[in-house]
Amino acid sequence: QVQLVESGGGLVQAGGSLRLSCAASGSIFRINAMGWYRQAPGKQRELVAHITSLSSTAYADSVKGRFTISRDNAKNTVYLQMNSLEPEDTAVYTCNAEITHFVTSTYTRAYWGQGTQVTVSS
């Protein structure tokens, strides 16, 4: 089994910064793509940022130029550096990872973290 554990959320004033981390642990053969999603009250969950196994990145238009996703493969960890935070960024942020396991053969499935609250005050 695999666990994704997030950290780094909290309360920050508009214009401030936070750095989220998500560490994967367990029976891992390979971590493929990783991503950060967020869900604000009353809204649908949306993809914030995505990073492939080769570190190719993609961002939601609303965070381009302000957020940076990165990964440390040696630590099985993905990060989300969030700068110039706005009240509209307030949400529960959840990481996602596509992980390949190997037993007698390989299989791949997606895992989710438990989520971390980010609150930006105006």
Side-chain angles (χ1 to χ4, degrees):
Q1 269 294 356
V2 170
Q3 278 193 318
L4 300 182
V5 179
E6 296 126 336
S7 60
L11 173 64
V12 65
Q13 287 189 329
S17 298
L18 284 174
R19 188 192 194 207
L20 305 183
S21 300
C22 173
S25 62
S27 178
I28 298 170
F29 178 69
R30 182 179 64 242
I31 301 180
N32 305 305
M34 306 181 83
W36 286 96
Y37 290 73
R38 68 184 181 187
Q39 186 167 22
K43 294 187 176 181
Q44 288 190 329
R45 184 168 62 189
E46 63 172 344
L47 176 63
V48 176
H50 176 269
I51 186 166
T52 70
S53 59
L54 299 179
S55 294
S56 176
T57 60
Y59 298 90
D61 288 343
S62 59
V63 307
K64 281 180 182 176
R66 300 187 297 122
F67 290 11
T68 302
I69 189 171
S70 61
R71 63 191 287 169
D72 184 335
N73 293 328
K75 296 182 179 180
N76 289 340
T77 299
V78 63
Y79 305 95
L80 185 68
Q81 178 67 43
M82 306 185 293
N83 299 328
S84 302
L85 282 161
E86 303 168 353
E88 293 74 23
D89 295 317
T90 296
V92 175
Y93 285 71
T94 306
C95 71
N96 168 272
E98 183 184 88
I99 294 175
T100 297
H101 301 278
F102 180 80
V103 183
T104 56
S105 61
T106 61
Y107 66 97
T108 299
R109 59 159 290 188
Y111 292 87
W112 294 88
Q114 80 285 358
T116 185
Q117 177 70 45
V118 171
T119 302
V120 184
S121 63
S122 56

